[in-house]
Structure formats: structure tokens, C-alpha cells
Amino acid sequence: MPEKATSIILTGVGGQGVLLAARILSEAALRSGLDVKSSEVHGMSQRGGSVLAQVRFGPRVYSPLTPKGTGDYLLALEELEALRYCALLKKNSRIMMQRCRILPSPVIAGFTPYPEDSVALLREEGYRVSLMNEDEVGTSGSARFANVFLLGMLACHLQFSPEVWREVVLNAVPERFREQNRQAFEKGRTIL
Amino acid sequence: MKKLLSGNEAVARGAWEAGVVLGTGYPGTPSSEILENLKEYEGVRAQWCVNEKVALEVASGASWAGARVLVTMKHVGLNVASDPLFTLAYTGVKGGLVIVVADDPGLHSSQNEQDSRHYARAAKLPMLEPSDSREAREMAKLAFEISEEFELPVLLRLTTRVSHSRTIVAPGERGEISTPFACIKDPKKRVMIPAYARLRHRVLEKKMERLIRYAEDAPCNRLEEGGGEPGIITSGISYQYCKEVAPDASYLKLGMVYPLPIGTIENFVRSSEKVFIVEELDRFLETEIKAMGMEVTGKRPEYCLGELNPDRIEALLREKSESTSSSPPIPVRPPVMCAGCPHRGVFMVLRKLKLFVTGDIGCYTLGTLPPLSALDTCLCMGAGVGQSEGFRTVLPAEDREQVVAVIGDSTFIHSGITGLIDIVYNGNGGVVIILDNRTTAMTGRQPHPAMGVTLRGEETTATNLEEVCRAVGVRRVRVMNPHDLQGMEDFLKESLPLVEPSVMIARAPCVLLTRGEEPRPYRVDLDTCVACEQCLQTGCPALVKLPDGKVRIEGFLCTGCGVCAQVCPVEAIGEYIRQDEPR
């Protein structure tokens, strides 16, 4: 583990499972013996608002908020939200993003357009983008497990043990969805 | 075993370990989860009260009987509870009484960003402020000790970022509760007639002198001599941000933000070349410390606005203005009323009738945003009712009919009932609409007295809203289905010109309560649709505009409320039966 805190940004729209993913990740860091702080803004999350969570871990963590331009990874369940928060990342860092566009009300009302090619915009800004396509999870209702799929993609880049991951993922999800979540996580792990 | 807890969970844990037997409060972001967590512990009764004032009054009674009590609220809730608060400082407490007040810098979900630290100085009460969950648990316990040692209520101040961040906590065991609880007569302490209150004021001033001495050695105030410059005096979450950007500075980290340890501060200021005061919102510490005659560096005015973060603090310490980012604008994603929300139909009618709507605090405040644009005021809990009376009192007779008040069910019970009595008493007419969605929706669906369920899920006697309205003297009380647009329009047209007041209770459960029930989605018959976009004016997130201007309904979002079908002028929207077969 590096000396400095590692900062992971997680974002999406209310109802997509951003907060659950942040909790799973925090728990994995705790069980790996690290100091952890996570922050979430969830006042409006159930009403279709933008959701941002941050998880920071390392030998010692002070701020639960990531200073601008220092974040290490971004997990995005929605494309516009990736654009909104990518400035928290260091240049060249990696964004793991679900191919998903949820139109916000000003776009639906025709006041403003939705950015055409978000992946190109993110790459122009100097980020490396790994995509999760909708059919990739391989189980029915893939969007429901996209949060855990993205965690699987992230797991390739972190040094938490497979046992820790298995435990925290399975503990966090309802029993009847354990198998699908396990599969989504393993599938995510295969994508580099 | 170490656990990751939110600040709110940690306060509940600390209070339980301290032997709390009662927790009271009213829901309010970001404080709501404290009591929701406390209720899970053995040996403690956690309950929602009608409002924050009642919560503090209930707590004071229990404390005078000898019990340790926790009271929780958001910052604006403390305004409501401030009447008992100020005099409770005179009477003092017996069992430890800790009031948690959660401020919301940055207005994540509030109508203002007031700084509640001023209450500590104004009411002459000690205030503690943790900077993470570990401290939240420790300070909750310490607050009970201070409360009993000085026989004073203690304020525990949180901010959104502490309440809703998760950090590592090592939980402990619950302490012994030894005191037998009893009624003990002591009128000179408990009955604040002027003769006794004069004496108690003197006692309070003496307690403050002792508290200033206590602050010098308080375990929650901490000196961290980094050996470096500058010196930083800070508290709460700002401490964590400072450590992030200035790890080598020397720190005086204040866990007790009122009263302040004068001697400790003097020594710290003397030992550093330059001392910064870093604090969120108002210049509270700065004002106090400068009033002690010490030379310290405060902040520029822009740092009194909004939430701080490591980037802002870095600029603050360089005594610079903030850089404004030049990145291209990203479309905002404002929160919206859910698909099927029972408030939507009411606002469609108010909009159609072009009424002036005095509003209140709740999900329905979102009715002010386009496309609904049908809510014209929002001041504080309960205000919409009184405001409608004020408008109607001074408006010329022909304009009075355009004023109508809307208020949620939980908000009406919190502080709308008194406004309604005032309308009746002062002979004002008009219509008050109670948006009765059977829950306190905005803060996370907490139960309230009209639901007949308590925080712990027990059944209880339900307050009957129609009977309350009739009992205070409103004769025209009508319960209506908020998805019936024509019915509501007829009632309003009939009621608004009358000299007597009317109450319309628009009753249907919040869609978040009925989620999981079998929805009956509607669909648009695209051959009939004329792309007039009338339905899009409902602002329903289930409606999607197609490239040709026609509209499609997202089947998985639609609950079948039927509001869009009622506004469609060509009857293109109907209940979904089978593919391609509108009824």
C-alpha cells in the first residue's frame, strides 16, 4: 500500500447503488487493516438527484473529502455524473464507467443538451476510461448489479485480498441476490 | 471490534454507552439517523416528538426526574426549541441532558446555513464539536459527564459532513444506570418566576466561570505541536481538512467550542509567529479570540459562505481569493418529485388556476421548480399557513381569492395547527391544503402522529387531521384524492371566494411507501399523440420526449397515477393492458 491515502470517487444517480458500493469498498479497506474515511451526500438521493460518495483509505486518513485533482479512481454508474466529478481525479487516472445515460430534468425539458460523446470528452481531459457495457454482466437485469461489477473492475487495481472482497460483497447484499452479485464481481475482475 | 460508523451512528452509540434511557427529537437532515439508530439499542426509549420544542420539554422533564436524555434536531430545529433552551440554562438539569444540533453548511437540504454555535454563547451553555465519528462517540459520552457535573444542558454540534461521513470507531460497553428516578420538589430551581429566575441567572454566570476553567484542561481540547508554522486554531471537520493540506502546522484543536480556554489560547498564540483561525460558516472563534485581545488571522468574507473543503482551506491559509473553475458547464441534475408523487396533481391544479401559493418545508417545496413553478413562498416549518393569512389580510378584496396555503401532514402537526387556529380566530377565510402523504417523506419517511405508528413501529392512537381542523373551528373540511384533478379544481373554485376558511386534505400515500406494490403503468398511443407537450408540464420523470416531439412513458417508472392522462387534451394516454392496446 502506498504511504499516502488512496481516494476513490463513486458517482451516479439516486437509486443506482452508489452508496452501497461505497460501503462495500470502505468495509474492504477496514478489513484490510487500513484507516478509512468515507463521505456521502444523500439528502436528495431518492429523488433522482446526483449522488457522490468518496472513500479514502491508507495508513492515516484525515479529510473524508478528496482534494481536487488528487483522486485515484472514479467509479461512475452514469456518464454525465462522471463528467461532473472527474475533476477530482489526478490526470491519467482511471475511470470505470457504466455505459448509461439518465437524462436530467433540464435536458428532458429541452433547456440544455446532454453531452454527445462523454467517453471522448473524458479521454480529451486526459483520463483513462474503462467501460462496462450493458450486456456485459451476463445475468438478467444487469443494471442492478452494475455497482458490484464496477467494484470488480476496481479490485484489479487494489491490493485487497480476494477473501476480503468476497466477504464484504456477500455480507452487503440481500441473500437472494448473492449469486448474481458474486458473478457480477467476478466478471468485473476480468476487465482490465 | 472496530467498526465503520457514520457520525450520527456514533453519537447514538456514545449516548447509549453513557446510559441514556430516553431519546427525543424531530426528523431533520442531517440529524435524522441518530434516533433511528438509538431505537435499536436495549434499555433506551427513542421517540419522535411533534416538534423540537416539545422534544426538549419532554427531555427536560425526564432529566429533572434524574434520567440521562438525548435530544436531536437539525440547526433550524433549535430555533423552534430555543424557548425552553434559554430558560433551561437557568433551571439547570439533574440527569445529563445533551442536545445534538446538526448544522448544514452548504445547504445540502435546508433553507438556511445558520451557525448554531451562536446559541451556546446566547444561552450560556457549553458546546462540544467532534471532527469525526470516533470523536462523536467520545464527545457524546463526555457531554453527559459535563452536563451532570455542571447541572447544565450540553450542546453537541455536528455538521452534515461529520453526520454523514463514516470513520472508524471502537465501541464500548454501556455504563451502569444507578440513580432511581423520582419527582423531587425544588421550586426555587424549577419554577422560573422572576424572584427565583434572578437567583438562577446568577448561578448560571457562576457556572460559566467554572466552565471556562474546566475548558483549560478539557480532555477534548488538544494541542498538537507540529513544531512548524503556522499555528492553526480550529475545530470540527475543518480540523481534518487542515491536517490534509497543512500536516506540519502546529494545532490547537478545540473540541469544546464554548466557552473557550483563554489561557491555553494565549499560550498557543504567543508560541507561534502567525496564528490562523480556521472555521466553517461564521467567524465565531475568531470573534471570541479577538475579543480576548489576541492577534490572530481570520478569513476573507467568501469563506463565511458554504461548506469548506481541503481546497478552500488551502486557499484560505494562503490568504487568497478562491480560484473560480473555468471548466465547461455540466447540465445540473436537480432532485424531482418522484413518478406518481401525490403532490404533482395538486400543483397541476394550482398552476392551472394561477394561484399564489404560500408554501412550506417538505418534498412539495420542489413544486417551485419548473415546469411546475407553482409554489411561491418557503420560509420555515409551518409558515405557509400564517403567510396566507397575512397576504389575505392586506390584499384588496378582489385579489384575496388567489392566495392558497399548502403544507405537508407532518409539517402541519409540527407547527401548522397554530396558524390554522389563527386564521379561524381572526376571521380570515381562504383555503389551506394539507398535502397528506402519510409520512415525513423528505427526511426519509419517518412516522408522525397522524399515522398511528411510533418510531419503534408500535401502533398508537392516530391524530385525526380532519377532526383537528373541525375542532379548531373550520367547518369546510374535505378529504380529496390528489390524483383527481377536476375534483380538486371544483373544490378550490367553490371555496376560495368564501369568507369562511376551508381545509382540503389531499390524501394519498407517498409512492416510496407503496413501492413494491403491483404498478399499473400507463402508455401513450403514439397515433393519437399530437406532440403538444401538455403532459411534460407535469415534470414527471417517467415521461420521455421523443425526437418527433411525441412522448413515451417509461413503464418501469410509471405508477399509474393518471395525472398525465388527465391533462392530455386528445386522450392519447391510457392504462396499459397489453402491448398496443390502450383502454
Side-chain angles (χ1 to χ4, degrees):
Chain A
M1 281 294 155
E3 278 302 299
K4 280 202 69 153
T6 302
S7 307
I8 319 277
I9 317 298
L10 303 97
T11 186
V13 174
Q16 285 190 305
V18 174
L19 300 185
L20 180 66
R23 285 176 192 186
I24 293 172
L25 176 58
S26 311
E27 202 65 36
L30 174 74
R31 295 196 192 192
S32 304
L34 297 169
D35 190 17
V36 195
K37 285 191 176 168
S38 76
S39 167
E40 48 194 56
V41 166
H42 50 59
M44 297 288 184
S45 60
Q46 272 182 328
R47 286 154 203 87
S50 159
V51 180
L52 171 67
Q54 312 188 27
V55 179
R56 309 190 72 215
F57 48 84
R60 179 82 169 89
V61 181
Y62 290 106
S63 168
L65 296 182
T66 307
K68 210 172 161 188
T70 69
D72 296 284
Y73 298 95
L74 171 69
L75 269 54
L77 287 155
E78 202 273 347
E79 298 174 27
L80 186 62
E81 298 311 310
L83 286 166
R84 195 186 311 286
Y85 296 115
C86 62
L88 286 169
L89 292 181
K90 284 181 208 139
K91 291 294 165 192
N92 291 321
S93 43
R94 190 174 293 278
I95 297 172
M96 288 106 182
M97 183 168 84
Q98 175 179 219
R99 267 287 188 199
C100 168
R101 295 153 67 102
I102 300 175
L103 306 187
S105 55
V107 172
I108 294 174
F111 294 141
T112 174
Y114 193 103
E116 288 249 322
D117 189 346
S118 47
V119 176
L121 286 171
L122 290 168
R123 287 186 174 140
E124 258 169 51
E125 291 287 322
Y127 303 110
R128 290 180 284 174
V129 184
S130 307
L131 289 173
M132 172 205 154
N133 293 308
E134 239 175 68
D135 52 354
E136 215 145 25
V137 179
T139 50
S140 58
S142 63
R144 292 180 73 166
F145 310 107
N147 55 352
V148 170
F149 187 98
L150 291 183
L151 282 178
M153 289 170 76
L154 175 70
C156 308
H157 302 277
L158 303 179
Q159 288 164 31
F160 303 152
S161 76
E163 293 73 34
V164 163
W165 277 115
R166 188 173 313 122
E167 199 179 322
V168 295
V169 170
L170 296 185
N171 275 346
V173 301
E175 203 169 339
R176 64 184 193 282
F177 295 125
R178 277 191 182 161
E179 185 48 30
Q180 283 111 312
N181 276 292
R182 194 192 62 77
Q183 283 177 22
F185 184 81
E186 291 306 327
K187 196 83 194 290
R189 270 181 95 91
T190 63
I191 296 176
L192 266 173
Chain B
M1 197 179 97
K2 284 182 178 176
K3 281 182 169 178
L4 271 172
L5 297 182
S6 70
N8 283 349
E9 290 168 337
V11 167
R13 178 74 201 191
W16 178 76
E17 289 178 19
V20 142
V21 296
L22 175 66
T24 66
Y26 183 83
T29 310
S31 70
S32 312
E33 300 86 1
I34 302 171
L35 288 188
E36 289 174 330
N37 273 282
L38 190 63
K39 80 165 198 286
E40 303 296 332
Y41 289 100
E42 291 268 336
V44 52
R45 181 190 165 91
Q47 62 181 47
W48 292 127
C49 292
V50 162
N51 62 34
E52 296 85 353
K53 178 176 184 286
V54 173
L56 183 52
E57 290 156 352
V58 171
S60 69
S63 159
W64 289 357
R68 286 193 166 186
V69 198
L70 185 75
V71 193
T72 73
M73 60 195 69
K74 68 184 294 175
H75 57 326
V76 285
L78 190 54
N79 303 339
V80 178
S82 63
D83 196 358
L85 181 79
F86 279 69
T87 310
L88 204 50
Y90 282 30
T91 61
V93 304
K94 186 162 186 285
L97 194 161
V98 174
I99 302 162
V100 182
V101 55
D103 285 7
D104 189 17
L107 299 114
H108 294 284
S109 188
S110 300
Q111 67 268 37
N112 76 22
E113 51 181 347
Q114 75 185 38
D115 189 330
S116 295
R117 293 178 298 173
H118 297 293
Y119 272 106
R121 180 165 51 198
K124 304 174 197 293
L125 291 173
M127 178 181 263
L128 306 185
E129 185 180 23
S131 70
D132 62 15
S133 303
R134 182 177 61 78
E135 291 184 359
R137 170 186 161 273
E138 287 167 5
M139 287 192 197
K141 296 178 81 167
L142 179 65
F144 280 100
E145 285 168 25
I146 296 173
S147 176
E148 286 181 0
E149 184 179 340
F150 291 87
E151 296 189 357
L152 279 177
V154 174
L155 294 158
L156 182 65
R157 183 203 188 217
L158 305 176
T159 54
T160 304
R161 206 53 76 174
V162 172
S163 284
H164 288 170
S165 289
R166 305 166 82 79
T167 78
I168 298 176
V169 175
E173 295 304 314
R174 183 163 162 95
E176 288 288 306
I177 306 163
S178 52
T179 331
F181 307 141
C183 291
I184 296 161
K185 287 185 190 256
D186 192 355
K188 284 188 177 167
K189 257 180 155 174
R190 303 289 184 239
V191 183
M192 287 302 97
I193 55 172
Y196 298 161
R198 265 178 220 120
L199 299 173
R200 295 306 297 175
H201 188 183
R202 188 165 305 181
V203 171
L204 177 58
E205 296 297 341
K206 288 264 181 257
K207 286 181 183 177
M208 283 314 292
E209 285 170 22
R210 276 175 56 214
L211 269 161
I212 292 170
R213 289 196 295 277
Y214 172 88
E216 301 287 357
D217 301 310
C220 56
N221 291 335
R222 186 168 75 232
L223 206 58
E224 289 176 14
E225 286 171 57
E229 286 288 328
I232 296 177
I233 301 177
T234 185
S235 73
I237 191 71
S238 302
Y239 163 78
Q240 305 289 356
Y241 300 153
C242 284
K243 290 290 276 189
E244 188 77 32
V245 298
D248 299 327
S250 300
Y251 285 87
L252 175 55
K253 196 267 190 194
L254 296 169
M256 188 169 188
V257 292
Y258 198 81
L260 294 178
I262 299 172
T264 308
I265 291 172
E266 251 175 4
N267 288 337
F268 184 76
V269 171
R270 218 179 291 131
S271 68
S272 297
E273 285 283 315
K274 179 160 189 164
V275 171
F276 281 95
I277 310 293
V278 183
E279 56 190 325
E280 220 164 29
L281 296 178
D282 294 346
R283 296 176 170 119
F284 181 81
L285 299 175
E286 182 186 335
T287 308
E288 286 284 314
I289 291 169
K290 283 184 172 166
M292 295 169 187
M294 282 176 244
E295 224 172 275
V296 291
T297 306
K299 59 181 176 180
R300 301 166 68 97
E302 67 254 39
Y303 297 106
C304 297
L305 306 174
E307 198 178 14
L308 295 181
N309 57 41
D311 300 311
R312 294 188 75 191
I313 285 183
E314 192 166 40
L316 185 158
L317 291 174
R318 287 198 198 135
E319 298 176 70
K320 276 192 178 158
S321 287
E322 291 180 80
S323 59
T324 44
S325 114
S326 57
S327 50
I330 306 286
V332 292
R333 190 184 295 279
V336 289
M337 285 181 195
C338 306
C341 174
H343 301 327
R344 181 170 286 108
V346 176
F347 284 109
M348 285 305 285
V349 173
L350 299 178
R351 200 175 86 124
K352 181 179 175 190
L353 298 177
K354 298 191 167 59
L355 297 175
F356 185 87
V357 180
T358 58
D360 230 291
I361 309 274
C363 288
Y364 48 94
T365 318
L366 295 172
T368 195
L369 298 177
L372 287 169
S373 308
L375 179 131
D376 301 294
T377 74
C378 166
L379 185 66
C380 69
M381 293 287 283
V385 180
Q387 287 182 321
S388 75
E389 184 190 339
F391 273 104
R392 289 175 53 93
T393 302
V394 298
L395 285 175
E398 64 273 19
D399 290 338
R400 280 176 209 153
E401 286 178 29
Q402 60 177 305
V403 182
V404 62
V406 298
I407 185 166
D409 44 346
S410 188
T411 314
F412 179 71
I413 292 168
H414 177 283
S415 49
I417 296 174
T418 42
L420 186 63
I421 296 174
D422 206 78
I423 287 174
V424 173
Y425 175 57
N426 288 306
N428 207 284
V431 179
V432 173
I433 301 174
I434 301 176
L435 300 165
D436 182 6
N437 63 357
R438 315 305 297 156
T439 190
T440 316
M442 192 64 169
T443 48
R445 284 160 290 145
Q446 291 81 8
H448 63 65
M451 291 165 65
V453 184
T454 69
L455 170 58
R456 287 156 297 152
E458 308 143 333
E459 281 191 28
T460 183
T461 306
T463 301
N464 183 307
L465 294 177
E466 339 25 335
E467 282 180 23
V468 167
C469 296
R470 289 194 191 99
V472 305
V474 180
R475 285 178 300 171
R476 286 176 54 82
V477 179
R478 180 85 61 87
V479 177
M480 305 216 63
N481 174 2
H483 301 307
D484 171 13
L485 305 192
Q486 192 60 50
M488 290 191 291
E489 184 179 332
D490 292 346
F491 179 77
L492 286 172
K493 280 183 176 162
E494 191 183 301
S495 307
L496 283 164
L498 301 178
V499 287
E500 68 167 318
S502 311
V503 171
M504 180 176 110
I505 302 176
R507 178 173 293 157
C510 171
V511 285
L512 296 175
L513 293 175
T514 52
R515 197 180 261 176
E517 287 176 20
E518 198 57 43
R520 294 180 307 151
Y522 277 51
R523 64 181 288 278
V524 180
D525 179 29
L526 292 176
D527 294 332
T528 316
C529 177
V530 293
C532 69
E533 300 189 5
Q534 290 289 310
C535 57
L536 290 176
Q537 296 304 312
T538 63
C540 178
L543 301 174
V544 181
K545 190 172 150 185
L546 299 170
D548 60 0
K550 294 184 179 186
V551 172
R552 182 173 61 83
I553 294 178
E554 285 284 12
F556 71 96
L557 283 175
C558 179
T559 66
C561 75
V563 167
C564 58
Q566 291 173 68
V567 300
C568 177
V570 293
E571 297 184 10
I573 307 178
E575 218 173 297
Y576 176 87
I577 303 294
R578 284 203 319 268
Q579 211 103 38
D580 309 321
E581 196 181 305
R583 185 158 66 184

